[in-house]
């Protein structure tokens, strides 16, 4: 029996797959990584240090000032429970901070690679533009070095006139009418 799934819409939360089942949203593989970064950010704040110090002070005051039967960590034993709790906290904090640093290093590596690629593209674009500017400059210098004299212009015009006479047989042959120029008046 063929399954009647729609292929024009993506499967998402609550999208029926057939036979009354639904596809669940995939769990984030990155959830623990985000948690480690949150712990590292939280432990690196003055608020965390103040709260931890306040917790330790209250612990010590409670276990020294309250009546004996209310105390749960005797000062005579060197606040063993407090020491164990702080050691446990430190033993979990260090690897969580290292995991967060590793994630940050991975992001930095990706960013550095993207920056390197962007710099290569910028360098290639800059070199291309520099070559184009040099080509334009050389072209302008070549144009500026070609000065047209009257003799060159007359020769070009005579060559064009001869070419026109060859292509148009109805054109009057013979010498072209003489035009007046400045040289005639001087």
């Amino acid at each position: 029996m063929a399954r009647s799934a729609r292929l024009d819409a993506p499967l998402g939360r609550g999208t029926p797959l057939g036979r009354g089942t639904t596809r669940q949203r995939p769990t984030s593989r990155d959830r623990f990584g985000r948690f480690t970064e949150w712990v590292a950010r939280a432990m690196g704040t003055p608020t965390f240090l103040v709260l931890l110090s306040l917790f330790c002070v209250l612990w010590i005051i409670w276990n020294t000032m309250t009546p004996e039967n209310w105390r749960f960590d005797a000062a005579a034993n060197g606040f063993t429970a407090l020491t164990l709790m702080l050691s446990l906290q430190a033993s979990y904090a260090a690897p969580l901070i290292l995991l967060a640093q590793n994630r940050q290093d991975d992001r930095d590596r990706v960013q550095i690679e993207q920056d390197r690629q962007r710099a290569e593209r910028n360098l290639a674009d800059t070199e291309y533009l520099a070559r184009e500017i040099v080509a334009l400059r050389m072209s302008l210098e070549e144009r500026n070095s070609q000065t047209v004299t009257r003799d060159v212009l007359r020769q070009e015009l005579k060559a064009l006139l001869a070419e026109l006479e060859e292509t148009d047989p109805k054109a009057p042959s013979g010498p072209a009418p003489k035009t007046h120029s400045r040289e005639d008046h001087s």
Side-chain angles (χ1 to χ4, degrees):
M1 180 170 193
R3 219 164 146 185
S4 62
R6 291 188 51 163
L7 298 177
D8 62 339
L11 295 176
R13 176 175 255 174
T15 303
L17 289 175
R19 295 193 184 133
T21 61
T22 58
R23 180 179 214 169
Q24 296 297 321
R25 188 175 186 186
T27 58
S28 175
R29 296 179 192 159
D30 214 28
R31 190 174 293 161
F32 186 72
R34 287 193 310 269
F35 171 73
T36 61
E37 289 177 341
W38 175 81
V39 168
R41 274 193 304 274
M43 293 183 94
T45 62
T47 304
F48 175 79
L49 294 175
V50 168
L51 291 176
L52 184 62
S53 300
L54 185 63
F55 174 78
C56 291
V57 168
L58 290 175
W59 183 289
I60 292 170
I61 290 173
W62 179 269
N63 286 299
T64 54
M65 304 297 227
T66 59
E68 288 273 337
N69 57 347
W70 287 11
R71 295 179 190 173
F72 49 86
D73 192 19
N77 293 336
F79 300 109
T80 307
L82 178 62
T83 304
L84 288 174
M85 282 182 51
L86 292 176
S87 295
L88 181 66
Q89 181 266 337
S91 68
Y92 276 99
L96 290 176
I97 291 170
L98 287 174
L99 286 171
Q101 286 176 342
N102 288 342
R103 284 174 48 89
Q104 185 61 44
D105 289 344
D106 291 342
R107 280 195 300 273
D108 289 345
R109 246 182 257 113
V110 169
Q111 184 65 40
I112 287 169
E113 179 62 24
Q114 290 173 348
D115 289 346
R116 186 188 63 75
Q117 290 172 352
R118 191 176 303 116
E120 285 178 355
R121 284 192 306 268
N122 288 343
L123 180 62
D125 290 346
T126 303
E127 288 174 349
Y128 171 75
L129 290 173
R131 286 191 302 271
E132 288 296 313
I133 289 172
V134 168
L136 286 172
R137 188 176 286 164
M138 289 172 57
S139 172
L140 285 174
E141 286 175 1
E142 184 179 314
R143 286 281 178 152
N144 289 339
S145 67
Q146 293 178 351
T147 56
V148 180
T149 62
R150 281 189 221 169
D151 293 335
V152 172
L153 186 58
R154 282 185 189 145
Q155 288 174 353
E156 289 293 322
L157 288 173
K158 284 180 184 178
L160 283 172
L161 187 59
E163 187 178 321
L164 284 174
E165 287 177 355
E166 289 176 7
T167 58
D168 190 12
K170 296 179 184 174
S173 59
K178 192 169 188 174
T179 59
H180 297 288
S181 66
R182 281 194 227 163
E183 292 175 353
D184 294 337
H185 295 291
S186 49

